[in-house]
mmCIF file of all heavy atoms in Angstrom:
data_model
loop_
_atom_site.group_PDB
_atom_site.id
_atom_site.type_symbol
_atom_site.label_atom_id
_atom_site.label_comp_id
_atom_site.label_asym_id
_atom_site.label_seq_id
_atom_site.Cartn_x
_atom_site.Cartn_y
_atom_site.Cartn_z
ATOM 1 N N ASP N 99 12.544 -2.524 -5.753
ATOM 2 C CA ASP N 99 13.326 -3.229 -6.773
ATOM 3 C C ASP N 99 12.545 -3.334 -8.079
ATOM 4 O O ASP N 99 13.097 -3.188 -9.171
ATOM 5 C CB ASP N 99 13.730 -4.621 -6.271
ATOM 6 C CG ASP N 99 12.540 -5.451 -5.829
ATOM 7 O OD1 ASP N 99 11.534 -4.865 -5.389
ATOM 8 O OD2 ASP N 99 12.611 -6.686 -5.923
ATOM 9 N N ARG N 103 13.538 -1.690 -11.894
ATOM 10 C CA ARG N 103 13.543 -2.503 -13.105
ATOM 11 C C ARG N 103 12.552 -1.975 -14.138
ATOM 12 O O ARG N 103 12.827 -1.975 -15.335
ATOM 13 C CB ARG N 103 13.226 -3.950 -12.753
ATOM 14 C CG ARG N 103 14.343 -4.622 -11.973
ATOM 15 C CD ARG N 103 13.940 -5.975 -11.462
ATOM 16 N NE ARG N 103 14.969 -6.537 -10.585
ATOM 17 C CZ ARG N 103 14.731 -7.339 -9.576
ATOM 18 N NH1 ARG N 103 13.498 -7.692 -9.303
ATOM 19 N NH2 ARG N 103 15.711 -7.794 -8.834
ATOM 20 N N GLN N 231 17.349 -5.720 -1.999
ATOM 21 C CA GLN N 231 16.687 -6.215 -3.208
ATOM 22 C C GLN N 231 17.040 -7.676 -3.471
ATOM 23 O O GLN N 231 18.054 -8.185 -3.011
ATOM 24 C CB GLN N 231 17.122 -5.400 -4.424
ATOM 25 C CG GLN N 231 16.801 -3.919 -4.334
ATOM 26 C CD GLN N 231 17.423 -3.190 -5.494
ATOM 27 O OE1 GLN N 231 17.427 -3.687 -6.621
ATOM 28 N NE2 GLN N 231 17.967 -2.016 -5.253
ATOM 29 N N LYS N 232 16.178 -8.286 -4.262
ATOM 30 C CA LYS N 232 16.464 -9.645 -4.703
ATOM 31 C C LYS N 232 17.504 -9.600 -5.823
ATOM 32 O O LYS N 232 17.413 -8.767 -6.720
ATOM 33 C CB LYS N 232 15.189 -10.309 -5.228
ATOM 34 C CG LYS N 232 14.074 -10.426 -4.188
ATOM 35 C CD LYS N 232 12.809 -10.959 -4.820
ATOM 36 C CE LYS N 232 11.667 -10.987 -3.806
ATOM 37 N NZ LYS N 232 10.397 -11.448 -4.423
ATOM 38 N N PRO N 233 18.510 -10.478 -5.789
ATOM 39 C CA PRO N 233 19.532 -10.475 -6.849
ATOM 40 C C PRO N 233 18.947 -10.873 -8.209
ATOM 41 O O PRO N 233 18.017 -11.677 -8.293
ATOM 42 C CB PRO N 233 20.550 -11.515 -6.363
ATOM 43 C CG PRO N 233 19.782 -12.400 -5.429
ATOM 44 C CD PRO N 233 18.743 -11.532 -4.781
ATOM 45 N N THR N 234 19.503 -10.262 -9.259
ATOM 46 C CA THR N 234 19.061 -10.559 -10.621
ATOM 47 C C THR N 234 20.106 -11.431 -11.313
ATOM 48 O O THR N 234 21.299 -11.116 -11.294
ATOM 49 C CB THR N 234 18.875 -9.252 -11.425
ATOM 50 O OG1 THR N 234 17.947 -8.429 -10.727
ATOM 51 C CG2 THR N 234 18.359 -9.529 -12.814
ATOM 52 N N LYS N 235 19.668 -12.520 -11.931
ATOM 53 C CA LYS N 235 20.591 -13.428 -12.608
ATOM 54 C C LYS N 235 20.588 -13.170 -14.115
ATOM 55 O O LYS N 235 19.531 -12.933 -14.710
ATOM 56 C CB LYS N 235 20.201 -14.873 -12.340
ATOM 57 C CG LYS N 235 20.306 -15.278 -10.860
ATOM 58 C CD LYS N 235 19.918 -16.737 -10.667
ATOM 59 C CE LYS N 235 20.028 -17.134 -9.185
ATOM 60 N NZ LYS N 235 19.632 -18.547 -8.980
ATOM 61 N N GLY N 236 21.777 -13.214 -14.706
ATOM 62 C CA GLY N 236 21.889 -13.047 -16.151
ATOM 63 C C GLY N 236 21.613 -11.621 -16.594
ATOM 64 O O GLY N 236 21.463 -10.705 -15.791
ATOM 65 N N PHE N 237 21.563 -11.422 -17.933
ATOM 66 C CA PHE N 237 21.287 -10.091 -18.477
ATOM 67 C C PHE N 237 19.778 -9.865 -18.477
ATOM 68 O O PHE N 237 19.020 -10.653 -19.052
ATOM 69 C CB PHE N 237 21.835 -9.959 -19.900
ATOM 70 C CG PHE N 237 21.841 -8.533 -20.401
ATOM 71 C CD1 PHE N 237 22.950 -7.736 -20.210
ATOM 72 C CD2 PHE N 237 20.727 -7.992 -21.043
ATOM 73 C CE1 PHE N 237 22.968 -6.426 -20.656
ATOM 74 C CE2 PHE N 237 20.729 -6.691 -21.488
ATOM 75 C CZ PHE N 237 21.856 -5.896 -21.296
ATOM 76 N N PRO N 238 19.312 -8.804 -17.832
ATOM 77 C CA PRO N 238 17.860 -8.576 -17.729
ATOM 78 C C PRO N 238 17.229 -8.251 -19.078
ATOM 79 O O PRO N 238 17.802 -7.515 -19.886
ATOM 80 C CB PRO N 238 17.768 -7.374 -16.775
ATOM 81 C CG PRO N 238 19.090 -6.689 -16.886
ATOM 82 C CD PRO N 238 20.101 -7.769 -17.155
ATOM 83 N N ASN N 239 16.057 -8.808 -19.323
ATOM 84 C CA ASN N 239 15.331 -8.580 -20.575
ATOM 85 C C ASN N 239 14.188 -7.592 -20.310
ATOM 86 O O ASN N 239 13.250 -7.915 -19.599
ATOM 87 C CB ASN N 239 14.762 -9.900 -21.105
ATOM 88 C CG ASN N 239 14.086 -9.740 -22.452
ATOM 89 O OD1 ASN N 239 13.769 -8.645 -22.894
ATOM 90 N ND2 ASN N 239 13.868 -10.854 -23.135
ATOM 91 N N ILE N 243 10.567 -7.936 -18.165
ATOM 92 C CA ILE N 243 10.349 -7.178 -16.926
ATOM 93 C C ILE N 243 9.039 -6.399 -17.008
ATOM 94 O O ILE N 243 8.292 -6.305 -16.037
ATOM 95 C CB ILE N 243 11.541 -6.238 -16.660
ATOM 96 C CG1 ILE N 243 12.795 -7.072 -16.318
ATOM 97 C CG2 ILE N 243 11.232 -5.257 -15.536
ATOM 98 C CD1 ILE N 243 14.058 -6.272 -16.185
ATOM 99 N N TYR N 369 22.528 -3.024 -17.619
ATOM 100 C CA TYR N 369 22.899 -4.221 -16.861
ATOM 101 C C TYR N 369 23.289 -3.850 -15.430
ATOM 102 O O TYR N 369 22.811 -4.451 -14.458
ATOM 103 C CB TYR N 369 24.064 -4.926 -17.552
ATOM 104 C CG TYR N 369 24.588 -6.121 -16.794
ATOM 105 C CD1 TYR N 369 23.911 -7.338 -16.831
ATOM 106 C CD2 TYR N 369 25.753 -6.037 -16.046
ATOM 107 C CE1 TYR N 369 24.384 -8.437 -16.130
ATOM 108 C CE2 TYR N 369 26.239 -7.131 -15.343
ATOM 109 C CZ TYR N 369 25.552 -8.330 -15.390
ATOM 110 O OH TYR N 369 26.021 -9.415 -14.696
ATOM 111 N N VAL N 372 20.158 -2.501 -13.249
ATOM 112 C CA VAL N 372 19.230 -3.508 -12.742
ATOM 113 C C VAL N 372 19.906 -4.446 -11.747
ATOM 114 O O VAL N 372 19.309 -4.842 -10.748
ATOM 115 C CB VAL N 372 18.625 -4.302 -13.914
ATOM 116 C CG1 VAL N 372 17.747 -5.431 -13.410
ATOM 117 C CG2 VAL N 372 17.804 -3.374 -14.815
ATOM 118 N N LYS N 373 21.159 -4.767 -11.985
ATOM 119 C CA LYS N 373 21.828 -5.782 -11.161
ATOM 120 C C LYS N 373 22.458 -5.202 -9.888
ATOM 121 O O LYS N 373 22.424 -5.836 -8.831
ATOM 122 C CB LYS N 373 22.900 -6.490 -11.993
ATOM 123 C CG LYS N 373 23.347 -7.822 -11.401
ATOM 124 C CD LYS N 373 24.213 -8.573 -12.380
ATOM 125 C CE LYS N 373 24.628 -9.933 -11.848
ATOM 126 N NZ LYS N 373 23.504 -10.878 -11.727
ATOM 127 N N TYR N 374 23.020 -3.989 -9.986
ATOM 128 C CA TYR N 374 23.775 -3.451 -8.851
ATOM 129 C C TYR N 374 23.272 -2.082 -8.400
ATOM 130 O O TYR N 374 24.018 -1.305 -7.803
ATOM 131 C CB TYR N 374 25.262 -3.338 -9.217
ATOM 132 C CG TYR N 374 25.886 -4.639 -9.626
ATOM 133 C CD1 TYR N 374 26.212 -4.881 -10.966
ATOM 134 C CD2 TYR N 374 26.159 -5.639 -8.694
ATOM 135 C CE1 TYR N 374 26.787 -6.072 -11.363
ATOM 136 C CE2 TYR N 374 26.734 -6.837 -9.081
ATOM 137 C CZ TYR N 374 27.048 -7.055 -10.424
ATOM 138 O OH TYR N 374 27.619 -8.238 -10.809
#
Side-chain angles (χ1 to χ4, degrees):
D99 55 331
R103 291 172 187 149
Q231 300 173 40
K232 299 174 184 177
T234 303
K235 296 181 180 179
F237 192 91
N239 184 344
I243 292 174
Y369 176 78
V372 175
K373 198 170 182 68
Y374 302 107

